[in-house]
Amino acid sequence: MATKPGERRLQILQTLAEMLETPKGEKITTAALAGKLECSEAALYRHFASKAQMFEGLIEFIEQSLFGVINQITGEEQRGFRQIELILGLLLNFAQKNRGMTRVLIGDALVNENERLQLRINALLDKVEAALKQALRIAATQEKFKADADFGALANLLRCYVVGRWEQYARSGFSREPLAQWSQQWPMLYFACLSQAGDA
């Protein structure tokens, strides 16, 4: 049965993501990917010019998935701290549901691949950090923040927390889930941010 245009491309990306879910994290070759799909390597190259382009397809999927929801959160939620809580929860939940994508996000799956892929991930994480910084600025208009509150440092702290949870998840063979202890840790992060509030 013939697949519709774009369907085979999506199937290749889904299979690549599944192969990335193996905790040992062996280097994925186009030969192994073709074997899983029961097709030739030449058939893969009809849809993607290179393996790097396949990884770019995964990164585009991650970016669209995350920022589709982040934009929804920032558009609908007025409270800055609630925006931060929802964005962090989204980032942890996305990793927990998408093991293979987590390895892309932490760069583990991109070792020995084209260096532009890591630059794409870095840019994606910078965008996440910028969204958190903007939410902190909104929170500052709702809470009395210190005049010298450093939103950049706070946003970076929150980014590093998320990336650390992703790393732990991947390095533990996906046994230490990102959302574990989230309900206890969010109040800690909240008070770290709130420590910048108070009389200037």
Side-chain angles (χ1 to χ4, degrees):
M1 199 168 132
T3 55
K4 291 176 188 172
E7 267 187 20
R8 188 59 168 168
R9 189 181 164 88
L10 184 61
Q11 195 177 28
I12 291 167
L13 292 178
Q14 285 172 335
T15 305
L16 175 58
E18 284 166 15
M19 289 175 76
L20 288 169
E21 291 184 8
T22 55
K24 287 181 186 174
E26 289 95 352
K27 183 173 165 63
I28 291 171
T29 62
T30 49
L33 181 58
K36 281 268 186 190
L37 287 158
E38 297 180 345
C39 69
S40 66
E41 286 182 75
L44 294 179
Y45 291 121
R46 281 199 288 275
H47 300 278
F48 295 94
S50 63
K51 187 165 61 152
Q53 205 177 78
M54 295 176 202
F55 275 108
E56 281 183 332
L58 285 184
I59 294 169
E60 278 166 23
F61 171 81
I62 293 169
E63 193 160 15
Q64 287 166 7
S65 300
L66 292 179
F67 283 95
V69 181
I70 288 172
N71 292 337
Q72 193 177 334
I73 290 168
T74 55
E76 294 175 3
E77 177 56 58
Q78 302 301 311
R79 293 166 296 164
F81 278 129
R82 180 63 177 153
Q83 283 186 15
I84 294 164
E85 181 183 2
L86 291 171
I87 290 169
L88 295 179
L90 162 72
L91 296 168
L92 298 176
N93 187 53
F94 180 84
Q96 191 159 310
K97 288 185 172 178
N98 299 280
R99 294 178 173 188
M101 306 291 188
T102 304
R103 291 192 53 224
V104 175
L105 280 163
I106 65 169
D108 179 45
L110 305 178
V111 175
N112 301 321
E113 301 297 341
N114 191 301
E115 63 182 26
R116 77 171 183 270
L117 297 170
Q118 187 58 59
L119 294 175
R120 283 283 306 269
I121 287 295
N122 293 348
L124 187 156
L125 292 175
D126 286 345
K127 277 178 70 178
V128 167
E129 189 172 328
L132 292 168
K133 188 174 179 180
Q134 180 58 26
L136 282 163
R137 288 189 189 284
I138 292 167
T141 66
Q142 298 160 347
E143 306 279 344
K144 195 173 179 186
F145 269 59
K146 296 175 185 174
D148 62 348
D150 192 331
F151 302 119
L154 282 170
N156 185 255
L157 173 69
L158 297 171
R159 166 187 172 159
C160 290
Y161 165 76
V162 168
V163 174
R165 293 308 307 245
W166 289 344
E167 284 266 2
Q168 184 175 253
Y169 187 42
R171 305 281 180 238
S172 68
F174 303 113
S175 63
R176 299 195 65 180
E177 295 183 336
L179 284 170
Q181 300 177 307
W182 168 236
S183 59
Q184 298 99 309
Q185 288 175 344
W186 164 242
M188 298 174 191
L189 293 167
Y190 173 79
F191 284 113
C193 294
L194 208 60
S195 71
Q196 294 297 301
D199 292 329

